[in-house]
Structures are given as structure tokens and as C-alpha cells.
Amino acid sequence: MSAHEHPLGISFEFFPPNTEAGHEKLMRTRDALAARRPRFFSVTYGAGGSTQHRTLNTVRAVRESGFTTAPHLSCIGSEKAALRDLLVQYREEGIDSLVALRGDLPSGMGGVGELRYANELVEFIREETGDHFEIAVAAYPESHPQAPSFDRDLENFARKMKAGADLAITQYFFTADAYFHFVERARALGVEAPIVPGIMPITNYTKLARFSDACGAEIPRWIRKQLEAYGDDSAAIAAFGEEVISRLCQRLLDGGAPGLHFYTLNQAEPTLKVLDNISA
Ligand code: FAD
């Protein structure tokens, strides 16, 4: 860890904006969050390489902050040759961290590609580039939505870590015990690397509900009921969200979580408010 990194190991995730206004907003967000000395920023990647250029351009812009910036990379729908070219390019640009994923193919979009699961992508990156990249992978404390069972998903996760991942970042969740249980079970399978909780600040109920259905994150009933009751009152949603997420983060850190990875959705304020409320 370099001298200017945050002792908690916090990290912030962005998506590549597709308008000039979105880019300018992201640069303001980047600067506001850089002041919290993140361990790294990361930038998401669209299925089948659909955002490849925008991801790279965004990574370049975010890196100007001076902080490590990790592109996400997904393998589904891509050929090895294309992934190899991208790895070479990242390396030439001086990028040394990646978030390696399987990704999801939108329906009707091409074939699966040559690498079917994220463990195969991690193996491929290690074969091609040795130890050059620090590799993060995804973890699902509440189980991946397509997994046949919790135990099978956990075994698949352990296989992915053993393929050469350095750390894991979880899907977001609102139940701290789901995280603690997952970490305990992963440790029992021999996974020693850090498993960093992914945190989704709550700012908009409709979007959150849609997202959560798609990715299999459970919104507990007591949270759902209160958010539903606030209707269009965005100030009330933000205040309640801040309180719930700050408490979740504090509990995770008190229980030994090695850091926090924020799904910022390119907004600084909800994440900053949570960070102001918690202590290491
Ligand atoms: P895998 O680890 O490959 O797992 C997918 C499913 O297959 C699971 O059900 C697992 O149990 C099973 N499985 C795994 N390995 C095997 C195997 N060898 N044999 C049989 N079954 C297996 N998506 C994007 O498109 N772009 C992004 O930038 C992006 N960033 C993300 C960042 C984080 C931190 C997280 C948590 C998710 C992100 N996603 C992103 C979503 C992710 O791509 C989806 O959740 C996807 O469905 C699974 O990807 P994975 O890498 O976890 O897949």
C-alpha cells in the first residue's frame, strides 16, 4: 500500500459515461472521491466488449487523478485473440489492475465465446501476462442468480480464486450476516485472499428494485416497505438510505471486513456521506 492510500482499502466503481455532460460530471465525482485516497477506482465494461473504447477512455481520464484505476473485463461473447489484444494494450498503457468477470450476454447477442466462466478468464490472464495484473473477481454472498445451489456457487467461487485472483469484491447486499457467513464458508474452502464487501448507496427506490431483481440482491422487507412509503420524496429516501448503509458499513468493518468497494453510479455525494458517518 502506498503512503497516500486510504488505510481502510476503500475503492470506488464508475461506469463509462456516454455523453460529454456525463463525462464532465464523472470528472467532478472522481476529484471529490480522490480526496478520500482510495486504494483504487474501477470502471465497468459492457457485455461482449460493447463499451471497450469507452471503458479505456474513462480509465485514462480517471487515472489522471494519480490513483490506480482498474478496468473491468468480461469474457463472455469474446474470443481469446480479442482479449489478448486488450491485455497487451492495457499493459502498454501502464494499467496493472483488473476486475475479471464472466459478464452477461444480452439475449440475442452472439455466442458464448471461448471462455465460459470467470475462472477461465483468470487462468487466461495469468497464462498471458503472469503476475503483471492484480486481479479482482466477483463474489456473491447471497448466491449468484444462476447458481444451482449456494454450495455449488461457493465451490465455483473458490475455484476462481485459486485460478489466480488476488482479491474478491462482492455483489451488493443489505444483510451483514450474509457477508460474514460467505467469508467464513470461503475460508473453510481455503480462500485466504481479501473479500471486500460491495456497497450500493441507496438513492432511488425504483432503480434499486430493478437492479436487485436482475442481480439477485435481496432488499429486506423492512427496507423495501420504508422506501416504498417515501414515494417520490427523494430527500427522505436519501436520508434513510444514508442511515441504513452507514450502519451496514460500520457493522462490516467492526466485523473484520478488509475494506469497502462503493458502487457509486458516478455520484460522489451518497458515498461521501456514508464515509463521513463511519470510522475505521
Ligand atoms: P462466474 O464466476 O463465471 O459465475 C457465473 C455463474 O456460473 C455462477 O452461477 C457460478 O456459480 C457459475 N460458475 C462459475 N464457474 C463455473 C464453472 N467453472 N463451471 C460451472 N459453473 C460455473 N458485469 C458486466 O457486464 N460488466 C462489469 O463491469 C461488471 N462488473 C461487476 C463487478 C462486480 C464487483 C460484480 C459483483 C459483478 C459485476 N458484473 C459486471 C456482473 C457479472 O458480470 C455478472 O454477475 C455475471 O452474471 C457473473 O459474472 P462472474 O464473473 O461472477 O461469473
Side-chain angles (χ1 to χ4, degrees):
M1 194 165 87
S2 75
H4 68 305
E5 280 170 1
H6 195 286
L8 267 182
I10 50 170
S11 49
F12 303 119
E13 180 172 312
F14 300 136
F15 61 84
N18 51 19
T19 62
E20 193 46 42
H23 179 77
E24 281 163 22
K25 180 183 168 199
L26 177 58
M27 293 302 94
R28 290 193 295 276
T29 297
R30 172 200 73 180
D31 292 343
L33 294 176
R36 303 306 171 105
R37 301 176 298 142
R39 187 166 172 276
F40 62 91
F41 288 113
S42 81
V43 180
T44 61
Y45 186 81
S50 56
T51 66
Q52 187 171 318
H53 297 295
R54 280 195 288 129
T55 296
L56 180 56
N57 287 338
T58 305
V59 166
R60 285 181 181 139
V62 172
R63 278 183 90 205
E64 284 168 12
S65 63
F67 289 91
T68 297
T69 306
H72 294 207
L73 177 60
S74 66
C75 59
I76 201 153
S78 297
E79 299 305 317
K80 283 185 184 176
L83 292 167
R84 184 177 293 119
D85 287 349
L86 195 53
L87 291 173
V88 167
Q89 187 175 14
Y90 283 160
R91 219 172 146 152
E92 282 172 4
E93 299 245 354
I95 291 164
D96 55 11
S97 289
L98 292 173
V99 182
L101 305 143
R102 183 196 71 175
D104 296 302
L105 271 189
S107 52
M109 193 175 150
V112 171
E114 288 180 89
L115 302 170
R116 290 166 312 153
Y117 296 105
N119 67 292
E120 296 172 11
L121 176 61
V122 174
E123 269 167 32
F124 179 73
I125 298 169
R126 288 291 178 231
E127 274 163 25
E128 293 288 322
T129 62
D131 286 339
H132 176 77
F133 292 103
E134 179 178 71
I135 303 178
V137 293
Y140 301 86
E142 297 180 331
S143 209
H144 183 266
Q146 291 157 358
S149 70
F150 184 90
D151 284 2
R152 190 70 63 78
D153 199 35
L154 196 70
E155 285 159 20
N156 289 334
F157 170 69
R159 182 190 302 114
K160 179 163 67 173
M161 295 306 293
K162 286 172 191 169
D166 297 298
L167 73 151
I169 301 169
T170 77
Q171 184 56 275
Y172 68 87
F173 55 87
F174 300 108
T175 308
D177 281 334
Y179 169 81
F180 293 127
H181 175 253
F182 182 87
V183 172
E184 204 178 296
R185 296 286 309 274
R187 299 286 179 247
L189 289 183
V191 175
E192 288 171 6
I195 301 174
V196 179
I199 304 296
M200 178 69 87
I202 298 176
T203 54
N204 177 313
Y205 176 58
T206 319
K207 277 194 199 155
L208 182 71
R210 202 175 51 227
F211 251 39
S212 304
D213 278 350
C215 71
E218 187 179 59
I219 308 179
R221 186 176 159 83
W222 66 275
I223 296 182
R224 202 155 35 83
K225 291 302 259 184
Q226 288 185 76
L227 289 173
E228 274 167 10
Y230 294 133
D232 293 336
D233 187 347
S234 49
I237 292 174
F240 175 69
E242 180 186 333
E243 186 192 325
V244 168
I245 298 301
S246 301
R247 273 201 215 155
L248 172 67
C249 291
Q250 192 66 61
R251 223 188 128 208
L252 292 167
L253 294 172
D254 290 348
L260 300 168
H261 178 83
F262 286 90
Y263 296 105
T264 70
L265 303 180
N266 293 5
Q267 298 179 53
E269 207 183 321
T271 294
L272 289 173
K273 284 186 169 166
V274 169
L275 285 173
D276 285 341
N277 291 337
I278 59 178
S279 52

